[in-house]
Amino acid sequence: MKNILLIIFSISILSPAVVLGQASSKKVQAGMTFNAGANFLSPGTTKIQANGVGSLLSIGVTVNAASKSSENLGLSTGLEFDFGKNIYSPNNTTNYTYVDYVEGEVLSSDASGAESLGSYATMQLVSRRVSTTKLSVPLMLLFRTNFIGDFRYFGKFGLRNTFLLSHKITDEGIATTLGIPNSEPIVNDLMSSPGEFFIYNGSVGISAGAEWNFVGSTCLVLEAGYYYGITPFFLDRKDGKKTMYNYGTELTFPPTKNYYSASARQNQLVFKLSILF
């Protein structure tokens, strides 16, 4: 990656066709973008709560296309691979949350119910860290000024469309015996829970930034934006596919398991650094 960036930068510096001010006449700009930011889970149920602020890192390509009628209006899009993390905890103030698991997988109610006694383990869930890899396709209206010297300024408004590619879960909790925590801490890494997350996350956002035409048609762009999630982060699963549960209060053995799905939206604060050609 470093070698590729060095080659691109060297070509732009050494090219004999480089002429200052060239960027202002280009209808289409394309290049690489690097993003860093924060994820904010907004729970939609009292059963879970966000545990701090998550993180976002991404890399990809970005394209700005000016309108035929005006260079001040345009469309901004691209492809970005997002690597995100979120941490949430069950709200254990009223009732503890439990999960059943085998090595490498969190079990749904159907799977744990079909297992023979003693073939899986149970933990009282304390916190869950979710690591995701997603493909994002922003689709933003672009409003920008003319160049003032080597700089111009812009604003964007539109949608950030994100598609889930893969996920991993790390659960921290306390081992249980017959539904009673035994004080043994448990950490399960690299767990999967198929169907736990909504495959599409859409958000509407606004951003602003500045573009510096530092040589020829090559520009350095710094941008900050906030995106408000409009689709669920988690999937509201069917009863047989839910994985988290509370024990019922009835005096029965084994105790009744009341399963539920996590519910939340994800908002994002994103800082972008792009190189456009």
Side-chain angles (χ1 to χ4, degrees):
M1 181 63 69
K2 291 182 178 179
N3 292 334
I4 293 174
L5 291 176
L6 182 60
I7 292 171
I8 293 172
F9 182 74
S10 300
I11 291 174
S12 67
I13 291 292
L14 299 175
S15 173
V18 168
V19 180
L20 287 176
Q22 198 174 21
S24 62
S25 62
K26 296 192 69 172
K27 289 294 184 181
V28 178
Q29 295 173 290
M32 300 183 65
T33 185
F34 308 89
N35 304 343
N39 294 328
F40 304 92
L41 279 184
S42 179
T45 174
T46 58
K47 288 184 175 292
I48 69 167
Q49 55 193 5
N51 191 356
V53 176
S55 62
L56 171 70
L57 292 173
S58 65
I59 184 172
V61 295
T62 185
V63 178
N64 291 342
S67 168
K68 291 182 179 181
S69 59
S70 172
E71 68 179 61
N72 303 116
L73 301 176
L75 184 68
S76 180
T77 186
L79 290 173
E80 301 168 5
F81 288 95
D82 293 348
F83 306 95
K85 290 184 180 180
N86 287 292
I87 303 177
Y88 69 93
S89 302
N91 187 351
N92 289 327
T93 56
T94 56
N95 205 346
Y96 293 122
T97 289
Y98 299 88
V99 292
D100 299 328
Y101 63 93
V102 294
E103 184 176 358
E105 185 176 354
V106 182
L107 297 180
S108 67
S109 56
D110 278 349
S112 60
E115 298 282 345
S116 61
L117 185 63
S119 59
Y120 61 89
T122 301
M123 74 155 67
Q124 177 192 316
L125 186 63
V126 175
S127 70
R128 170 171 286 181
R129 183 173 73 248
V130 177
S131 300
T132 56
T133 301
K134 297 184 177 184
L135 177 65
S136 289
V137 184
L139 191 60
M140 311 281 286
L141 293 175
L142 173 64
F143 309 90
R144 59 190 179 187
T145 67
N146 293 325
F147 273 98
I148 305 171
D150 293 332
F151 292 87
R152 66 179 168 186
Y153 307 92
F154 63 87
K156 295 179 182 179
F157 174 78
L159 292 173
R160 182 175 171 85
N161 304 288
T162 305
F163 303 89
L164 180 67
L165 300 179
S166 65
H167 77 276
K168 290 297 179 184
I169 290 173
T170 297
D171 282 346
E172 296 185 8
I174 303 171
T176 67
T177 303
L178 299 177
I180 302 174
N182 60 20
S183 301
E184 179 186 350
I186 296 291
V187 178
N188 287 336
D189 290 316
L190 302 179
M191 303 283 285
S192 67
S193 183
E196 189 84 27
F197 306 97
F198 204 64
I199 193 170
Y200 169 77
N201 289 141
S203 56
V204 59
I206 187 170
S207 68
E211 179 181 345
W212 174 33
N213 183 196
F214 66 93
V215 59
S217 62
T218 305
C219 296
L220 188 67
V221 182
L222 184 63
E223 177 184 345
Y226 186 79
Y227 301 87
Y228 179 83
I230 56 177
T231 60
F233 185 76
F234 299 104
L235 180 67
D236 186 11
R237 311 179 79 181
K238 297 179 179 179
D239 288 343
K241 300 300 180 182
K242 295 178 180 179
T243 59
M244 297 185 292
Y245 61 89
N246 309 124
Y247 281 121
T249 57
E250 302 88 353
L251 296 177
T252 59
F253 185 83
T256 304
K257 297 179 179 180
N258 298 319
Y259 282 86
Y260 70 90
S261 294
S263 176
R265 291 178 293 98
Q266 178 178 259
N267 305 323
Q268 294 179 305
L269 176 64
V270 181
F271 298 96
K272 305 184 69 170
L273 179 65
S274 305
I275 301 176
L276 300 180
F277 303 95

